[in-house]
Amino acid sequence: MMTGFRLNFAPVKEPLGFVKVLEWLTAVFALGSCGGYSVRTVVSLFCGQGTNETLDVTFSYPFRLNRVLLVERNGTLCNRPVAETHLMGDAESSAEFFVAIAVLALLYSLGALLTYTGYLHVYRESDYAPMLDLAATAIMATLWLLCSSAWAKGLQNMKYATGTVGIRATLALCQEEGVVCEVTELANMRTLNVSVVFGYLNVILWAGNAWFVYKETLWHSQKYTSQEAVGHGTFPVPF
């Protein structure tokens, strides 16, 4: 078996390699639209008698909301002492899971592209390489589904926690008579919404790519060979 490196970009023009390029791109976009993202929320407190207070909150990846201060220690709002208060909720685990799978997908797709363009002759001569590739592709599709669903739920919880209803439930002062709390500048989470879309797009790409990888496996070739044998079967010659 020849194991030398042979650069050949022809597989990239085929579904096997082309889909891997798409998987790499969508992983990059999913990673970029979630990791390193920062959002800002402004809360206005209308205290009555024409006075009001403003709370400015900024939080970023990995979105540990329960560590973000809404009101600092020994704060005073609307002429009332307010205890130190943090935002409620924590999207850290779902966000980090999503980013970890995006990084893993990015690295695997790059490795697969290197194999297809440099060692395709080894890949296709091996009985096990395509099978391992198929197993890894199926696992990645499943992981993308899990992490995208978890991140979509985490993002939904984060929107609630930083919205008017969530802030009113978090800050005890908002429940006192004569004080009205409103989120007057809602955190812009469009980019985070896009990350969820890219997550589910990756599910489709990896699941679809499994078929093209399956066609490279011994299972598919044996099935095709057996079908040909049945179609061109021999019949006994009469005496």
Side-chain angles (χ1 to χ4, degrees):
M1 179 185 296
M2 299 295 294
T3 58
F5 181 82
R6 300 177 187 173
L7 185 61
N8 179 15
F9 289 106
V12 178
K13 300 177 183 178
E14 301 173 4
L16 180 69
F18 181 70
V19 177
K20 274 292 183 289
V21 175
L22 295 180
E23 289 171 351
W24 180 82
L25 288 173
T26 52
V28 169
F29 286 125
L31 180 62
S33 56
C34 180
Y37 190 70
S38 179
V39 289
R40 175 175 175 263
T41 294
V42 176
V43 182
S44 295
L45 285 73
F46 302 97
C47 309
Q49 300 178 350
T51 61
N52 60 69
E53 303 276 0
T54 301
L55 300 175
D56 194 326
V57 185
T58 301
F59 51 96
S60 58
Y61 175 84
F63 310 113
R64 301 183 182 100
L65 299 185
N66 53 10
R67 300 184 187 179
V68 177
L69 277 174
L70 181 61
V71 179
E72 296 183 0
R73 183 180 301 176
N74 301 322
T76 301
L77 297 171
C78 297
N79 297 320
R80 298 175 175 88
V82 181
E84 180 179 281
T85 307
H86 293 79
L87 292 175
M88 65 176 180
D90 184 3
E92 177 183 5
S93 58
S94 59
E96 289 186 338
F97 182 30
F98 184 84
V99 168
I101 297 306
V103 172
L104 182 62
L106 191 153
L107 295 175
Y108 184 79
S109 56
L110 278 178
L113 281 172
L114 177 62
T115 302
Y116 297 160
T117 56
Y119 299 94
L120 187 64
H121 56 292
V122 178
Y123 178 87
R124 285 180 169 164
E125 288 175 10
S126 170
D127 292 337
Y128 298 105
M131 294 181 183
L132 292 175
D133 192 14
L134 176 61
T137 301
I139 291 172
M140 284 303 307
T142 304
L143 289 175
W144 269 118
L145 178 60
L146 293 175
C147 76
S148 298
S149 300
W151 173 227
K153 179 60 177 176
L155 181 57
Q156 181 182 4
N157 293 340
M158 191 163 63
K159 290 178 180 179
Y160 171 80
T162 57
T164 297
V165 176
I167 294 297
R168 288 176 178 175
T170 303
L171 188 58
L173 179 63
C174 298
Q175 301 168 23
E176 294 188 11
E177 186 177 355
V179 179
V180 178
C181 301
E182 294 286 344
V183 175
T184 51
E185 186 174 327
L186 191 63
N188 186 352
M189 299 189 189
R190 284 195 296 267
T191 302
L192 298 179
N193 292 334
V194 169
S195 69
V196 175
V197 173
F198 275 114
Y200 284 113
L201 180 58
N202 270 288
V203 177
I204 298 172
L205 285 175
W206 285 86
N209 189 218
W211 165 249
F212 299 110
V213 177
Y214 169 71
K215 291 175 69 176
E216 300 292 330
T217 64
L218 188 63
W219 300 320
H220 181 267
S221 60
Q222 286 178 340
K223 179 180 177 181
Y224 185 76
T225 303
S226 63
Q227 287 177 345
E228 279 194 330
V230 172
H232 298 85
T234 57
F235 299 94
V237 179
F239 293 100

